[in-house]
Amino acid sequence: MKIAIFYGSMTGNTESAAKTIAEKFGGAECFAVDAGSLTKMADYDLILLGSSTWGIGDPEDSWDVLLGDLASLHLEGKFVSFFGMGNQDGFGDSYVDAMGVLKEALSGSGATFVGTWPTDGYSFTESKSLENGAFVGLALDDDNQPGQTDARIAAWVEKLQSEVA
Ligand SMILES: Cc1cc2nc3c(=O)[nH]c(=O)nc-3n(C[C@H](O)[C@H](O)[C@H](O)COP(=O)(O)O)c2cc1C
């Protein structure tokens, strides 16, 4: 299975998470998202989209160039998941919203969404990344819970591996 990670990161936290995720998969390719990312996605079977959240609930700026075009993607037969970096104490009403924004943009793509994540151990009020009481992908918080990032990534990668096996 060919795996790719596309991430947007302002200060490096999501980038660092993306690289750790790639290592745990042992062979995933890792790209900073840019205008060429859409065509690259066609080459992969499992596509992981990562973003920190900025403003109040916006994906990191690098996603701007292709957010509108995500809706036109055809990802039938492909698995897609998300990871998000945010600050649940400072932005508890928009914690990791970017994952929800990205998933919404792909709602008509035909992708099979995998890798939901429980909300246990997080403290926030609202998030666009919630569906049926779970995050649509892996929620991370290097501002308040940096010591949990590696373990969360390891457990999430295992969960993903079993879901796509
Ligand atoms: C001005 C500003 C706005 C932010 N807005 C949000 C937000 O709405 N939701 C959230 O979860 N985190 C928010 N954050 C926290 C960042 O997402 C967090 O610091 C993250 O680790 C940055 O990751 P990056 O270095 O990969 O961009 C905000 C941070 C700043 C400084």
Side-chain angles (χ1 to χ4, degrees), residues 9-14 52-55 57 85-87 91 94 96 143:
S9 180
M10 184 87 72
T11 67
N13 293 337
T14 312
S52 47
T53 297
W54 286 86
M85 187 65 76
N87 177 338
F91 300 90
S94 56
V96 293
D143 292 342

Side-chain angles (χ1 to χ4, degrees), residues 20-21 24-25 46 48 114-117 138 150-165:
T20 306
I21 292 166
K24 299 273 186 233
F25 270 106
L46 170 60
L48 306 177
V114 290
T116 62
W117 189 249
L138 177 65
D150 277 5
R152 281 172 171 163
I153 288 174
W156 182 65
V157 167
E158 268 189 35
K159 181 177 191 281
L160 275 176
Q161 283 170 326
S162 70
E163 289 179 30
V164 303

